Amino acid sequence: MTVNRLIKRLDGDDRVELLRSVRDADVSPYFRVMESATAPVVQVEGVDKIMLGSNNYLGLADHPDIKRGAREALDTFGSAITGSRLLNGTMDLHLELENEIAEWHGTEGAMVFTTGYQTNVGTISAVVGKQDVIVVDSAAHASIRDGSQLSGARIRKFAHNDLQDLEAKLQEPVDGDGAVLVIVDGLYSMEGDLAPLDEITALCTKYGAALMVDEAHSLGVYGDRLTGAAELFGTENDTDIRMASLSKSPSSTGGFIAGSNDLLDTLRIHARAFLFTTSGVPAAVGASLASVRLIRSDEGRQRADRVLHNAETLRKGLADAGLDVGARSRTPGGDTASPIVSLHVGDDLVAMSLWRTLFDRGIFTSAALHPAVPRDGALLRLCAMASHTDSHIRTAIETIADTVAESRAELPS
């Protein structure tokens, strides 16, 4: 059987055709080539752009302390460990990092995976089985959805952040002695809104469900200790599985689970995405350790405050210009913006055209199109960083507002 016979069913795939057409027209927002470090200004295909498309929320990707941590690990362990954590792939750096994370989160232990994607896929498929039920937010990370599918459990999706729908799903019967696991993101990567974890936790308690929170985008930004949204809502001790990525605010690669020893030992035996993949390269583990230590310092708090300040400024500037950037997230005693500011556009093609114009004008954003978002829900995802200056944010607001106004003027009346 030839490859063409294997992929022929994709010939009618709308997304494949869309990729080809926008690539041919050079308006594709995907696979653009970065040629410098992820900083407030990045060289992209030979031209400097203000970077609003990166998850480098705390601005640590080019921080000298983080680079030093990576360099020292490289000098000590070389380019790779060339084995799984189970066999020869566990370094003393892993143990230092896991102990640091556990102390930071106040849990019995922590366990580091090679990637954030593998963390979700491996954990969910290890702890949930065919007799169980997963209740998951419809906007949850793709890795959560994939791990849920691999588990073989019955999956019930509830409408994004819809507590009434969540409760309805929790009220449905469960076969036999099956358990229920609710899975949500602490901060959603497309809309940039927080999960109402206080109310979600209360529902899990009411119906006897376990709760897993993915803090990939909220780690390093929220909470007194900057461990994420669960801490912000005061529910961290009632969260059964706490997951986060090391590739957003920590600006490295990897992911981790923080939790009980019983949970972690189960994962060490059953999480195939942990057992059967090569350990993360030493430089990434060294950078992660340096990042976690920095985030826990006074500088980490200053950077968290700064990124939220920049996000507030960016969001308010765009909203004052009449642009749809969605609603703020409720928090205990108030509300907040997040480092992710979503500019709602609607149509996929309009969003791509707007992305390209901004790209040509020196602003790099991320375009979120269907199926990453609902149909007619295309948006430009703008990410603030702690290292953006007031001038960067001001220039971005002016350029985006002017570009959107021009695009609206060009539409037929």
Side-chain angles (χ1 to χ4, degrees):
M1 182 179 292
T2 66
V3 171
N4 285 341
R5 287 179 63 192
L6 287 171
I7 65 173
K8 66 180 181 180
R9 68 185 184 280
L10 299 178
D11 286 346
D13 189 322
D14 291 343
R15 285 178 290 160
V16 173
E17 292 305 316
L18 178 61
L19 170 64
R20 290 168 176 164
S21 63
V22 298
R23 185 176 58 201
D24 291 344
D26 195 26
V27 296
S28 173
Y30 307 124
F31 304 107
R32 310 311 298 210
V33 181
M34 307 293 124
E35 297 165 343
S36 66
T38 300
V41 176
V42 175
Q43 188 170 84
V44 186
E45 298 171 3
V47 181
D48 285 348
K49 314 284 183 184
I50 294 177
M51 174 51 72
L52 289 180
S54 170
N55 298 324
N56 182 28
Y57 303 127
L58 299 184
L60 298 181
D62 62 346
H63 191 288
D65 290 355
I66 313 309
K67 292 193 290 185
R68 185 180 306 111
R71 189 179 302 112
E72 290 175 355
L74 176 64
D75 290 343
T76 301
F77 293 98
S79 64
I81 296 299
T82 69
S84 68
R85 288 288 306 272
L86 177 68
L87 299 175
N88 67 301
T90 294
M91 302 173 286
D92 55 4
L93 278 179
H94 280 111
L95 303 186
E96 285 188 68
L97 176 57
E98 288 168 344
N99 288 336
E100 189 85 25
I101 291 169
E103 182 181 285
W104 184 20
H105 284 68
T107 55
E108 290 183 344
M111 183 171 165
V112 170
F113 288 67
T114 302
T115 70
Y117 181 92
Q118 289 171 311
T119 307
N120 274 334
V121 169
T123 298
I124 296 167
S125 60
V127 301
V128 183
K130 293 181 180 179
Q131 74 280 11
D132 301 318
V133 172
I134 292 174
V135 181
V136 60
D137 190 291
S138 60
H141 273 131
S143 54
I144 292 175
R145 299 197 299 270
D146 291 351
S148 299
Q149 291 286 349
L150 283 172
S151 74
R154 180 175 300 176
I155 300 170
R156 302 172 184 168
K157 291 183 181 180
F158 66 95
H160 177 50
N161 275 348
D162 187 325
L163 296 167
Q164 184 175 354
D165 195 29
L166 169 58
E167 183 164 23
K169 297 297 189 293
L170 289 171
Q171 289 172 338
E172 295 179 15
V174 179
D175 294 336
D177 60 353
V180 178
L181 175 65
V182 174
I183 313 177
V184 298
D185 291 2
L187 174 64
Y188 287 91
S189 59
M190 292 295 105
E191 289 288 346
D193 54 343
L194 291 163
L197 288 175
D198 47 357
E199 296 176 278
I200 290 172
T201 301
L203 287 173
C204 288
T205 300
K206 178 179 178 180
Y207 291 97
L211 175 62
M212 176 176 178
V213 178
D214 177 337
E215 302 271 21
H217 292 275
S218 42
L219 183 77
V221 178
Y222 296 109
D224 290 340
R225 299 190 309 276
L226 302 180
T227 62
E231 187 187 1
L232 176 66
F233 282 90
T235 61
E236 68 271 28
N237 294 329
D238 298 312
T239 303
D240 301 280
I241 305 175
R242 300 171 70 182
M243 176 272 174
S245 168
L246 294 163
S247 62
K248 276 70 176 180
S249 285
S251 298
S252 183
T253 299
F256 66 84
I257 297 294
S260 69
N261 287 330
D262 286 344
L263 169 64
L264 299 177
D265 284 343
T266 297
L267 296 180
R268 290 186 182 102
I269 296 300
H270 294 290
R272 296 172 66 84
F274 174 82
L275 291 167
F276 302 115
T277 193
T278 300
S279 171
V281 297
V285 181
S288 295
L289 179 58
S291 292
V292 169
R293 287 173 172 166
L294 189 149
I295 292 170
R296 298 186 70 191
S297 72
D298 289 342
E299 183 178 345
R301 167 52 61 187
Q302 292 165 6
R303 286 177 175 266
D305 292 343
R306 176 66 187 183
V307 71
L308 288 177
H309 167 79
N310 283 343
E312 293 276 8
T313 303
L314 177 62
R315 188 183 186 284
K316 183 178 186 303
L318 296 175
D320 288 348
L323 306 187
D324 181 0
V325 290
R328 298 166 61 85
S329 291
R330 179 189 65 80
T331 62
D335 58 19
T336 184
S338 85
I340 304 165
V341 179
S342 295
L343 175 60
H344 293 260
V345 179
D347 182 80
D348 282 356
L349 293 177
V350 173
M352 281 189 289
S353 176
L354 183 59
W355 176 90
R356 179 67 212 208
T357 303
L358 289 171
F359 182 80
D360 291 339
R361 294 178 177 181
I363 307 293
F364 191 98
T365 66
S366 296
L369 314 175
H370 180 76
V373 292
R375 290 191 183 278
D376 300 321
L379 55 84
L380 294 187
R381 181 176 179 270
L382 315 174
C383 295
M385 295 191 289
S387 46
H388 281 131
T389 65
D390 292 344
S391 177
H392 292 141
I393 298 297
R394 189 164 52 247
T395 299
I397 292 169
E398 293 171 357
T399 304
I400 293 168
D402 289 346
T403 302
V404 172
E406 290 172 13
S407 69
R408 288 173 174 171
E410 293 171 357
L411 292 175
S413 57

